[in-house]
Amino acid sequence: MSDYMELLKKAGEFHGDICGGIVMGTKLAIHGMEQMGMTPGEKDKRLIVYTEIDRCICDAIQSVTKTSLGKKSLKPMGYGKFAATFVNIDTGEAVRVMDIDANNKDTDIDSEAEHEETIEELTERIARTPGDELFMVQKVSVKINPNDLPGKPLEIARCADCGEVVMDGKHHLKGGKAYCTSCFEKSYYQLL
């Protein structure tokens, strides 16, 4: 329990406060790393984590696993699910860890909570509860594009339209020319 409480404190400091997502995300990250035979709270260069939601859980996972977007070891997928996949890039072993309660078919997804629980009560309950009772672990296979691995960029291209540099093979080819996603498809922004 003390390791959990220490890692929770660090995750809360990283995030800015301790909320339900940090409480559960810390425990999920610990459980995922333990499933991979890795030490929670310590950086492991073999680890890549795919998060399926862009909420508080990601900050907890980043804090506990020491993965990061900048090191290309944390991959946000934006599926809107309270789950994460832990991959050992040396062995190819991978496990997907998901919150059992969040995916309980009997839970009313329209209600905030079936019973009100303070953050302190939630923290104590999660600290006492074994990870196997909180999370479902699925062995999975993850095919990782070499451009998505940590390290120096393998492919760099210049967009034939806007002239901006596109790294890590994220360009699109059309008529033998490279294009960035913004020019090839549609951008999330519009120039004014």
Side-chain angles (χ1 to χ4, degrees), residues 26-92:
T26 298
K27 189 78 168 198
L28 184 147
I30 291 168
H31 193 63
M33 287 191 80
E34 288 173 345
Q35 296 295 310
M36 300 300 290
M38 298 175 180
T39 306
E42 292 183 15
K43 180 160 185 59
D44 193 314
K45 291 186 177 193
R46 302 172 296 165
L47 181 64
I48 288 181
V49 180
Y50 290 82
T51 60
E52 295 187 20
I53 195 166
D54 56 353
R55 294 209 168 261
C56 306
I57 177 181
C58 296
D59 285 349
I61 289 171
Q62 184 172 1
S63 177
V64 171
T65 64
K66 307 298 183 207
T67 56
S68 75
L69 289 169
K71 294 285 187 179
K72 298 185 75 169
S73 56
L74 182 63
K75 310 285 188 187
M77 301 308 294
Y79 292 175
K81 296 181 178 184
F82 203 95
T85 298
F86 299 74
V87 182
N88 180 325
I89 59 174
D90 284 354
T91 66

Side-chain angles (χ1 to χ4, degrees), residues 111-182:
S111 71
E112 282 292 315
E114 289 190 17
H115 62 282
E116 291 298 318
E117 187 175 37
T118 68
I119 289 298
E120 293 77 18
E121 291 168 337
L122 175 65
T123 300
E124 285 300 314
R125 179 172 62 83
I126 298 306
R128 288 189 317 269
T129 307
D132 291 338
E133 294 177 24
L134 296 169
F135 307 107
M136 177 186 300
V137 177
Q138 302 167 312
K139 288 189 181 233
V140 296
S141 173
V142 178
K143 184 175 171 124
I144 302 174
N145 181 315
N147 282 302
D148 291 333
L149 290 170
K152 293 183 179 188
L154 300 178
E155 290 183 62
I156 300 173
R158 185 171 302 278
C159 179
D161 193 9
C162 70
E164 292 183 20
V165 171
V166 183
M167 296 175 43
D168 301 317
K170 304 296 185 206
H171 61 280
H172 307 271
L173 292 175
K174 182 177 179 184
K177 294 182 180 180
Y179 294 89
C180 68
T181 297
S182 296

Side-chain angles (χ1 to χ4, degrees), residues 89-108:
I89 59 174
D90 284 354
T91 66
E93 177 188 8
V95 294
R96 181 174 182 263
V97 182
M98 65 180 207
D99 183 324
I100 291 172
D101 284 342
N103 291 290
N104 183 341
K105 291 180 179 158
D106 295 329
T107 302
D108 180 5

